[in-house]
Amino acid sequence: MKRTLTISTGQNWQVALRAAGTRAKAATAYGKYQGESLNFESPAAFFGQLTERRWDMIREMMGSGVVGVRELARRLERGVKRVHEDAQVLVALGLLEKTESGALLCPFDDIHVDMHLTPQLELA
């Protein structure tokens, strides 16, 4: 089964969680995989966690199977320590998975970013 991830931004994480739960419930009822979701409270939170170098890591990992941290650092031409630190953040977010041996795997075949920017309304 191909796994997909939709990344969104929205201040109300509870709404995003309810929507994901509704999709999951519908998928279970019909036996159909509906994908997975990850929500950030704001674009700033998104860009604070998913830096350009971390995106490079995800891009390199997609479709690569299981890759060790040292091998990934070699491919990215970066230091092992920094790649390890970035990998820990990506594992915590669920964008990468860690195997029992400590190697990394990107489980997603497709990652979609759904971001909307709207003006902030001032509260009186």
Side-chain angles (χ1 to χ4, degrees), residues 25-120:
K25 187 183 279 187
T28 303
Y30 295 107
K32 188 176 178 185
Y33 175 71
Q34 295 292 312
E36 298 160 59
S37 61
L38 175 62
N39 185 65
F40 290 90
E41 65 184 35
S42 68
F46 170 83
F47 289 115
Q49 293 294 311
L50 295 174
T51 64
E52 183 178 354
R53 289 189 173 194
R54 290 177 184 161
W55 272 120
D56 289 342
M57 287 179 66
I58 295 166
R59 190 174 13 256
E60 180 64 37
M61 291 297 302
M62 287 182 78
S64 293
V66 176
V67 178
V69 174
R70 288 185 185 277
E71 173 61 18
L72 182 58
R74 185 191 65 74
R75 290 182 187 182
L76 296 171
E77 299 178 352
R78 293 183 55 202
V80 174
K81 180 180 178 182
R82 297 294 181 220
V83 169
H84 181 264
E85 291 169 352
D86 284 344
Q88 287 180 311
V89 171
L90 295 173
V91 167
L93 289 170
L95 289 161
L96 295 181
E97 293 178 354
K98 201 171 201 178
T99 66
E100 289 182 24
S101 66
L104 301 168
L105 169 72
C106 180
F108 302 105
D109 297 295
D110 181 52
I111 298 175
H112 172 81
V113 179
D114 187 12
M115 190 177 303
H116 300 275
L117 186 61
T118 58
Q120 288 188 355

